[in-house]
Amino acid sequence: MPTPDDGLPEVARIAADLIRFDTSNFGGGTAHGEREAAEYVGAYLEGLGLTPEFYEPIPRRTNVVARVAGRNQDKPALILHGHLDVVPAIAEDWSVDPFAGEIRDGMLWGRGAVDMKNMNAMILTAVADLLRAGEQPERDLILAFFADEENGGVEGSALVVRDRPEWFAGATEAISEVGGYSISFDDRRAYLLQVGEKALIWMKLVARGRAGHGSRLHPDNAVTKLAEAVARLGRATWPVRLTDTTTEFLDAVTRLTGDAAGGDPDALAERAGAASAFLRSTLRTTTNPTGLTAGYKHNVIPDRAEALIDVRVLPGTEAESLEEIRRIVGDEVDIEIVHQDIGLEVPFRGDLVEAMVSSLGRHDPGVPVIPYLLGAGTDNKALAALGIAGYGFAPLRLPADLDFTGMFHGVDERVPVDALVFGQRVLTDLIRTY
């Protein structure tokens, strides 16, 4: 449990504590595990008088859920969820120990400060605000903290939804990460509300050839075949293709900035400065090589070479995107699908959207809230199997010069302490009134 004597706001202390649990997830079932972090969260929930339940279908891959009774039992429950795992961090590349939870220059540093132990702390302390004041939320809240999100949730939320669907009984909506934070278009602040996410296809390219001595003339080289295919796919230029969400996003940016871009979607997204690469990815398919494996000795030509490709496609375009990828890769390289998951889009309207927008407006008046499509994915994909509409709403008011989106899975992840306090207050406001 956090100690009260370090002078930090509780939300920052909890986020720092969570960062200190090294819950690195290397993918493919290899991970340090979330057990200790889940036990910490469970102890905090028990301290609030709640009864957490744990599910560990795979050793050390621990999920924890608790329900908070609301005032109005006629309203559907709302899920607030986060994941406890993080992507690995190479300490030598960082300015600080990535698992020390260090506070420096008014910021909390460490792996998970952005993705997403910050939001986990905001959820916990927002609920604590209400319960310690003797209040109840407006409706039942289901607090869920999952394992394995950074591996597509296959050993986390997917198993929880399959094996413990009763945990989410009565819920129709959920909120989680990668939305609700501020960015700047030119010199104007705006908040992005995530109302959709692209579909996920993790694939492996496999090239085969003939093994032989590294000194010989050898045209049937698996490494060469793979390298050529990876370069073609990694450099492929995918066209802009708008969905309902990205159309709404561009319309909102046009109103905010004036149509100085002549309607060009990429140029409009570029008005977001450091966040533009993050936003431009929402307008098209992306095919990024992320790993290469081949060979075992300098003078041996291997008979097999492999590459990992992270593919994100717009909802509903999976089949045609795969067909185009096969054309780009060519006949000499095989494609193996490692993991595939759905894309999502939910309306930028309705009571929950209005409540989220209003909560932000009460704490940062006059700043517009813009819908957007996340280029990545969240555990909302798993909850969608239960008919639950998921949104990204981890509210943070951020400095205009902080490249927040660039720190997702990046080096020197950090978040301002005052942004965590802001997010806690906005979430408290939301669950008190919605």
Side-chain angles (χ1 to χ4, degrees):
M1 298 294 290
T3 57
D5 57 0
D6 58 9
L8 285 174
E10 184 182 26
V11 64
R13 295 198 305 270
I14 292 174
D17 285 348
L18 289 172
I19 287 170
R20 291 171 189 138
F21 296 107
D22 182 353
T23 55
S24 295
N25 188 345
F26 299 89
T30 302
H32 290 165
E34 298 83 1
R35 182 184 293 167
E36 289 78 16
E39 290 172 345
Y40 174 96
V41 169
Y44 186 91
L45 295 170
E46 287 179 345
L48 298 178
L50 302 174
T51 305
E53 296 183 70
F54 296 87
Y55 183 48
E56 189 177 282
I58 297 169
R60 296 193 51 76
R61 311 311 305 275
T62 313
N63 307 271
V64 57
V65 168
R67 186 179 284 255
V68 185
R71 297 187 301 268
N72 191 336
Q73 292 295 303
D74 293 331
K75 290 186 174 182
L78 175 67
I79 302 169
L80 284 74
H81 65 94
H83 60 86
L84 295 171
D85 63 322
V86 295
V87 296
I90 300 174
E92 293 78 11
D93 295 340
W94 286 56
S95 303
V96 300
D97 180 344
F99 297 104
E102 180 178 334
I103 304 292
R104 180 190 293 186
D105 301 326
M107 293 196 179
L108 171 62
W109 296 61
R111 180 61 90 208
V114 168
D115 185 13
M116 66 167 297
K117 291 177 177 178
N118 59 342
M119 176 60 165
N120 294 335
M122 288 155 52
I123 292 171
L124 292 170
T125 51
V127 172
D129 282 347
L130 262 63
L131 297 184
R132 289 171 182 164
E135 300 180 53
Q136 288 179 283
E138 172 61 19
R139 64 186 69 218
D140 277 13
L141 301 178
I142 301 167
L143 313 179
F145 301 88
F146 294 116
D148 201 46
E149 191 272 348
E150 297 293 0
N151 187 46
V154 296
E155 295 185 351
S157 58
L159 298 183
V160 174
V161 165
R162 185 192 71 186
D163 299 338
R164 296 290 187 273
E166 68 276 6
W167 280 358
F168 309 105
T172 57
E173 297 167 317
I175 60 176
S176 188
E177 59 176 331
V178 207
Y181 57 91
S182 69
I183 63 171
S184 293
F185 289 93
D186 299 333
D187 59 349
R188 294 198 58 187
R189 184 164 66 250
Y191 289 92
L192 296 177
L193 180 56
Q194 191 244 104
V195 297
E197 48 193 64
K198 291 166 77 175
L200 164 67
I201 307 172
W202 283 341
M203 63 175 54
K204 181 187 293 184
L205 304 187
V206 180
R208 294 173 176 85
R210 188 160 52 89
H213 199 288
S215 68
R216 63 173 289 159
L217 187 65
H218 198 95
D220 191 16
N221 189 313
V223 176
T224 303
K225 295 175 188 177
L226 180 74
E228 291 170 344
V230 168
R232 287 195 300 271
L233 191 54
R235 293 184 177 131
T237 301
W238 292 86
V240 169
R241 184 167 177 175
L242 301 183
T243 71
D244 291 344
T245 301
T246 52
T247 298
E248 286 187 89
F249 163 77
L250 292 170
D251 288 346
V253 175
T254 298
R255 291 193 297 272
L256 181 66
T257 65
D259 190 7
D264 176 20
D266 281 316
L268 281 169
E270 288 284 357
R271 304 287 285 274
S276 61
F278 195 78
L279 294 173
R280 289 181 63 202
S281 74
T282 72
L283 305 174
R284 51 175 51 81
T285 291
T286 57
T287 50
N288 283 312
T290 56
L292 295 168
T293 304
Y296 57 90
K297 195 173 187 301
H298 209 126
N299 62 347
V300 178
I301 299 170
D303 62 1
R304 181 183 176 99
E306 301 178 353
L308 302 180
I309 311 293
D310 188 337
V311 180
R312 309 294 175 125
V313 306
L314 300 173
T317 69
E318 294 89 336
E320 61 190 272
S321 296
L322 279 171
E323 183 178 349
E324 178 63 9
I325 289 169
R326 289 191 176 96
R327 187 195 66 78
I328 293 169
V329 166
D331 297 335
E332 290 193 299
V333 174
D334 294 329
I335 295 174
E336 298 178 3
I337 303 300
V338 177
H339 178 61
Q340 186 168 351
D341 211 339
I342 60 172
L344 302 171
E345 280 190 288
V346 291
F348 183 60
R349 59 181 179 275
D351 293 343
L352 177 56
V353 169
E354 291 178 8
M356 290 186 287
V357 172
S358 296
S359 294
L360 280 171
R362 284 190 286 273
H363 293 268
D364 198 359
V367 178
V369 180
I370 295 174
Y372 90 110
L373 180 78
L374 175 65
T378 74
D379 284 319
N380 280 327
K381 292 181 186 296
L383 293 171
L386 300 176
I388 294 166
Y391 295 84
F393 188 67
L396 297 167
R397 184 171 57 197
L398 299 166
D401 60 351
L402 181 67
D403 183 10
F404 181 74
T405 60
M407 287 187 287
F408 281 88
H409 298 190
V411 172
D412 284 345
E413 254 185 89
R414 60 198 182 275
V415 63
V417 170
D418 60 7
L420 296 175
V421 173
F422 174 87
Q424 173 189 351
R425 291 172 177 165
V426 173
L427 284 180
T428 301
D429 189 325
L430 176 69
I431 62 178
R432 177 182 284 124
T433 57
Y434 176 66

